[in-house]
Amino acid sequence: MKAQIKPRINLENRTPLQDVIPLETPFIVFIDPSSSCNFQCTFCPTGDRDLIKGTGRFQGVMNFDLYRKLIDDLASFPQSIKVLRLYKDGEPLLNKRLPDMIAYAKRSGHVPYVDTTTNGALIDPSRMGPLIEAGLDKVNISVYGMRPEQYTAFTKTEFDFDQFVTNVRWLYEHKGSCEIVIKIPGELITEAERQKFFDTFGDYCDRIFVENFAPCWPQFDVEDRLGVKITQGIYQQPITPTDTCPYIFYAMSINADGLASACFVDWGRRLIVGDGRKQSLREIWNSPEFNELRLAHLEGKRKQNPVCSQCGQLSHCRPDNIDAYREQLIPKVKDHLAARS
């Protein structure tokens, strides 16, 4: 097998956040090309269309003029971001201008690395060829079964699995310098199918991994909807609760309509910290709403927040833990805010 058995995120050689907080420039900016999805997956809030409709959340693709404004905003930060993540709630490939989005970011001089995540249903040559040509650095492909009937049951969508495999192989053969990562939830497959997963895709990607489901979405019970008990973290690591979200200190998220969320798991738009249509990204990064949330976490008040208190991302998924450094970080953050006022 050519691929490394390795999670999609890099767990090694990470920057110690306690040494760099507060950041003048975020490491990662999420921009959602599409808040809609062609799948209706059981584990995902976006898959429950009645639920999403009840939130009043915008469902559609990001306007390209808005996107260009957001990328241009990056010039105001004192340093370059590290990663532009072109995904959040929906299926990015539903946005037909995704190649233009990648190309514009790479030409800007403010974005050294672009990645995205897809359910794989649309990764045919006509769509993926332009993404590779535009300069996409990495694509994470989610697999939701090893048989068509598994896909139908889980995603409520008819799926041509054989054509999907063919498309993955084409992509790998034409990927250039783009990294191909393929993952599957272990709860969906048998032990025999686990081996079939490696046999089918192991020679046609750079990384491959069997993940676990995670109760990452606040106010959305994944275990109840899936009918499973989650006993490990998403990357097969132990479940370790934490009181402080590290993401809000190094990442920000822009939804498909331009509203800014403090967190990329804010599916219900309950952690809005700004509006990218009216404010610059730097203004949002330093906004009172964002900073109040950061301080609340450092002061041990995460569980007082109705959204953050129910987030399983922190116990099951997060690679960083700054709990032990809160006392030393509080004065740093307060001094930073005072200097800016």
Side-chain angles (χ1 to χ4, degrees):
M1 184 171 72
K2 296 178 182 178
Q4 291 182 289
I5 300 177
K6 188 176 181 181
R8 56 189 146 129
I9 68 167
N10 296 319
L11 298 174
E12 66 281 349
N13 300 320
R14 299 182 66 83
T15 300
L17 292 177
Q18 65 272 12
D19 294 344
V20 296
I21 292 173
L23 287 168
E24 290 281 0
T25 304
F27 287 164
I28 301 172
V29 173
F30 288 78
I31 296 181
D32 200 9
S34 170
S35 59
S36 302
C37 189
N38 50 334
F39 280 4
Q40 299 179 64
C41 296
T42 311
F43 82 101
C44 177
T46 300
D48 187 332
R49 292 175 181 171
D50 290 335
L51 178 69
I52 295 300
K53 186 177 180 180
T55 69
R57 190 181 96 181
F58 168 76
Q59 289 291 87
V61 300
M62 176 172 280
N63 175 275
F64 191 68
D65 288 338
L66 169 60
Y67 174 79
R68 285 191 297 191
K69 182 263 182 194
L70 297 172
I71 296 302
D72 293 346
D73 280 351
L74 294 174
S76 67
F77 285 111
Q79 297 90 31
S80 172
I81 65 171
K82 291 187 176 184
V83 180
L84 174 65
R85 296 233 145 99
L86 289 178
Y87 70 94
K88 183 178 177 287
D89 294 309
E91 170 50 51
L93 271 68
L94 288 176
N95 190 324
K96 294 181 180 179
R97 299 211 65 177
L98 188 59
D100 298 327
M101 297 172 86
I102 295 166
Y104 190 81
K106 295 303 284 281
R107 288 197 306 264
S108 73
H110 313 306
V111 179
Y113 191 92
V114 180
D115 65 20
T116 192
T117 294
T118 175
N119 61 36
L122 302 174
I123 58 165
D124 58 50
S126 67
R127 291 181 187 259
M128 295 307 298
L131 300 187
I132 300 300
E133 185 176 348
L136 182 65
D137 293 287
K138 179 181 175 183
V139 57
N140 302 301
I141 302 172
S142 301
V143 180
Y144 294 124
M146 292 305 296
R147 291 174 282 116
E149 54 268 31
Q150 288 174 318
Y151 265 87
T152 301
F154 185 70
T155 70
K156 301 179 180 64
T157 306
E158 295 296 323
F159 190 78
D160 189 336
F161 185 79
D162 291 337
Q163 184 60 52
F164 169 62
V165 173
T166 298
N167 288 340
V168 169
R169 292 180 177 181
W170 180 92
L171 177 60
Y172 184 73
E173 291 166 359
H174 296 82
K175 72 184 186 72
S177 60
C178 181
E179 184 179 21
I180 311 298
V181 182
I182 299 182
K183 59 188 179 68
I184 193 171
E187 292 91 342
L188 291 181
I189 53 177
T190 65
E191 197 61 38
E193 287 170 334
R194 180 182 293 241
Q195 185 58 51
K196 183 181 178 184
F197 169 67
F198 288 117
D199 293 341
T200 302
F201 298 107
D203 285 333
Y204 300 98
C205 60
D206 300 292
R207 300 191 203 184
I208 192 167
F209 203 75
V210 178
E211 295 186 352
N212 296 314
F213 279 118
C216 54
W217 306 106
Q219 302 175 323
F220 183 87
D221 194 331
V222 171
E223 290 183 323
D224 180 65
R225 287 176 176 257
L226 289 172
V228 301
K229 182 66 176 175
I230 298 171
T231 59
Q232 285 185 306
I234 191 171
Y235 308 118
Q236 302 176 12
Q237 79 277 28
I239 297 171
T240 53
T242 182
D243 285 329
T244 317
C245 175
Y247 299 108
I248 57 177
F249 292 92
Y250 70 84
M252 64 186 302
S253 301
I254 308 297
N255 298 301
D257 60 354
L259 289 176
S261 288
C263 178
F264 61 93
V265 297
D266 181 29
W267 64 271
R269 308 299 186 262
R270 298 192 63 194
L271 291 173
I272 299 300
V273 292
D275 189 338
R277 296 166 297 190
K278 303 173 183 177
Q279 299 168 276
S280 72
L281 292 186
R282 191 174 186 183
E283 287 174 327
I284 296 169
W285 180 246
N286 294 298
S287 68
E289 296 88 347
F290 217 155
N291 283 320
E292 286 171 11
L293 183 66
R294 292 177 181 126
L295 275 174
H297 276 246
L298 289 177
E299 291 169 351
K301 299 175 183 177
R302 176 177 75 85
K303 293 182 180 178
Q304 296 177 25
N305 185 298
V307 180
C308 298
S309 62
Q310 297 188 41
C311 178
Q313 182 77 16
L314 299 187
S315 54
H316 290 68
C317 308
R318 56 115 184 96
D320 307 292
N321 191 337
I322 57 173
D323 275 2
Y325 305 95
R326 289 189 306 186
E327 288 189 8
Q328 73 184 55
L329 290 174
I330 289 173
K332 285 185 178 181
V333 171
K334 287 184 175 181
D335 288 348
H336 177 72
L337 296 180
R340 296 187 62 86
S341 62

